[in-house]
């Protein structure tokens, strides 16, 4: 077996190869799962795909070239990620799609997981009154009812090619296998003990000896599940053999998902959140994600200030953005939840009057204190992966989808080969008890049967003069919305190209805990000045994995895949 790996700095390309057996997507288009290229940037005229894995991006591109539109490419890319990126790509999780068709129609699809019908507000509180994050974050009981497959079929209404064409590459990847990068091998090895602990049957992710770069991962049970979806549509997942396998797994592992939960799951169509930021129009995800509203609050709070003259990562621009983040996240904790269960005051939260007042106590000379900044009074006047695609006709699709943390609950449905999410932890399992991202909440995000847990996922589109300008999104838990916020400010205010907008160091504040997270390459001088003003800083290796496409005035699609992972762009 032949294998090599090298990097060409100027184009940021990593070439990965093993042998040469290909997967056909039809019409002469082929992708080689044993020989692929990680490409960080592309500048193309027609269509492009930016995703967390080069094979998934290549499959999306092959579908575009075969005559599919951005929705076709998105479905094929999502399904491929469910095979080649099991840490986050999924059919056992959920997500959101924000899209704009070439005829200007705006779409927001909510296929977030729901609490099982047998779920209840205090299901993660033990007899001693303790919140049990060990129950909400791993294993059978942490899983919400998966929404991804319903979402894929909702997306398909805007696609051109048959679903069976779009799912076949994923089936082939699961059946014929694909080679692991060093990062994927390390990730599987790092989770081996969890896979053993939280499963009742052997899984494809565990082998006796350690995984290493270049090994081939085969997932025959997942291939069989994908074939049932291909043959029977959404019913191939939500009913029949797959549903039975889920319920049998629940019985073996004391989980809650039932046949009724699966059969009754529906993808909800929402009205996208829309607002202007300077000369741009932003379209993003409404609840059950907090993303669009929180993004809108933050951008509108900084809009009155001359950000471009403040400059990138200066004390003035960063401090202002931190204070906007603090206030928006305080609102998230109190006011946002599943709109089918909670009256979300969206219009107020995004109104100029409310946001002006919200920044009324902003002090440019010192750090705000979260203990003194509560959620606004709205009665006066809630491991992930993101895919960005645009096609030659201007259809734009942004999808963020997740199992929650890496490999979700770590529980694979025995015989069905797919991982279940641990999304239940995104509910407020007890008032004041932080979820795994430190977010707290209360009534708005309390568990109720059939309710969607609050998310931070922020798939977002930006238009200029009513034309496509940007497709963006990222994983990262609560840091998602602040990453999208910074990518937009980087482009609109600091005039960056797609690559810099994605890869420049980022920061994050979420009200509580009252600390500022900074990436390790964050500007040192600004960091010192912030500390001098009273901010408590915590250094992190990396925040998010953003996939961004910027559309230039001449129509060129400038795409960037985040340097922080194996993320890769494909375009033509
Ligand atoms: O929906 C949410 O906000 C979280 N479950 C997202 C998790 C996530 O981004 C993990 N990736 N790093």
């Amino acid at each position: 077996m032949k294998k090599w790996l090298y990097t060409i700095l100027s184009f940021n390309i990593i070439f990965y190869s093993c042998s040469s057996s290909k997967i056909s997507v039809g019409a002469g288009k082929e992708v080689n799962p044993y020989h692929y290229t990680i490409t960080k940037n592309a500048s193309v005229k027609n269509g492009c795909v930016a995703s967390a894995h080069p094979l998934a991006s290549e499959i999306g591109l092959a579908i575009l070239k075969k005559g599919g539109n951005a929705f076709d490419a998105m479905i094929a890319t999502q399904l491929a990620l469910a095979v080649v990126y099991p840490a986050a790509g999924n059919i056992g999780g959920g997500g959101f799609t924000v899209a704009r068709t070439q005829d200007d129609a705006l779409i927001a699809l909510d296929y977030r997981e729901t609490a099982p019908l047998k779920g209840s507000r205090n299901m993660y509180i033990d007899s001693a009154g303790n919140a049990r994050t060990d129950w909400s974050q791993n294993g059978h009981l942490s899983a919400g009812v998966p929404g991804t497959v319903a979402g894929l079929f909702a997306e398909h209404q805007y696609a051109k090619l048959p679903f069976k064409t779009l799912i076949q590459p994923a089936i082939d990847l699961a059946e014929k296998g694909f080679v692991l990068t060093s990062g994927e091998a390390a990730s599987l090895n790092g989770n081996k003990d969890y896979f053993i602990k939280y499963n009742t049957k052997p899984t494809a992710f565990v082998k006796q000896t350690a995984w290493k770069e270049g090994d081939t991962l085969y997932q025959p049970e997942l291939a069989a599940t994908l074939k049932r979806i291909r043959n029977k549509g959404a019913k191939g997942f939500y009913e029949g053999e797959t549903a039975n396998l889920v319920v049998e797994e629940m019985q073996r592992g004391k989980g809650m998902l039932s046949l009724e939960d699966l059969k009754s799951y529906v993808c909800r169509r929402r009205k996208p959140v829309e607002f202007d930021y300077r000369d741009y129009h932003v379209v993003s995800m409404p609840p059950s994600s907090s993303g669009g509203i929180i993004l809108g609050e933050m951008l509108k709070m900084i809009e009155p200030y001359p950000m471009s003259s403040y400059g990138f990562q200066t004390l003035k621009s960063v401090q202002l953005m931190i204070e906007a983040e603090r206030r928006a996240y305080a609102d998230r904790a109190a006011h946002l939840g599943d709109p089918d269960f909670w009256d979300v005051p969206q219009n107020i939260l995004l109104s100029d009057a409310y946001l002006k007042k919200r920044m009324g106590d902003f002090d440019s000379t010192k750090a705000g204190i979260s203990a003194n900044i509560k959620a606004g009074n709205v009665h006066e006047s809630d491991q992930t992966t993101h895919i960005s695609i645009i096609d030659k006709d201007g259809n734009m699709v942004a999808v963020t989808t997740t199992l929650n943390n890496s490999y979700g609950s770590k529980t694979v449905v025995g015989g069905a080969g797919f991982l279940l999410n641990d999304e239940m932890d995104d509910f407020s399992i007890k008032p004041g008890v932080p979820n795994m991202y430190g977010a707290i909440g209360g009534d708005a995000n309390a568990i109720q049967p059939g309710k969607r847990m609050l998310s931070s996922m922020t798939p977002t589109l930006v238009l200029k003069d009513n034309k496509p300008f940007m497709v963006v999104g990222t994983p990262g838990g609560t840091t998602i919305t602040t990453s999208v916020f910074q990518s937009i400010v980087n482009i609109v205010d600091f005039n960056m190209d797609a690559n810099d907008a994605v890869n420049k160091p980022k920061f994050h504040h979420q009200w509580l805990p009252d600390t500022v997270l900074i990436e390790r390459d964050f500007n040192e001088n600004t960091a010192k000045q912030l500390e001098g003003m009273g901010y408590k800083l915590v250094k992190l290796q990396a925040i998010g994995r953003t996939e961004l496409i910027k559309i230039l005035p001449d129509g060129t699609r400038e795409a960037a895949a985040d340097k922080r992972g194996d993320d890769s762009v494909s375009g033509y």
Side-chain angles (χ1 to χ4, degrees), residues 112 383-384 402 404 423 426 437 455-457 475-477 480:
R112 180 71 162 166
Q383 239 322 343
T384 302
T402 189
N404 201 13
E423 218 73 65
D426 271 353
Y437 304 103
S455 173
S456 294
M457 293 188 279
I480 290 173

Side-chain angles (χ1 to χ4, degrees), residues 28-43:
K29 307 285 178 264
E30 289 178 326
V31 172
N32 188 340
Y34 309 107
H35 178 124
Y36 47 84
T37 307
I38 295 177
T39 309
K40 291 299 182 188
N41 300 292
S43 190

Side-chain angles (χ1 to χ4, degrees), residues 90 124 416 423:
N90 66 83
Y124 298 110
E423 218 73 65

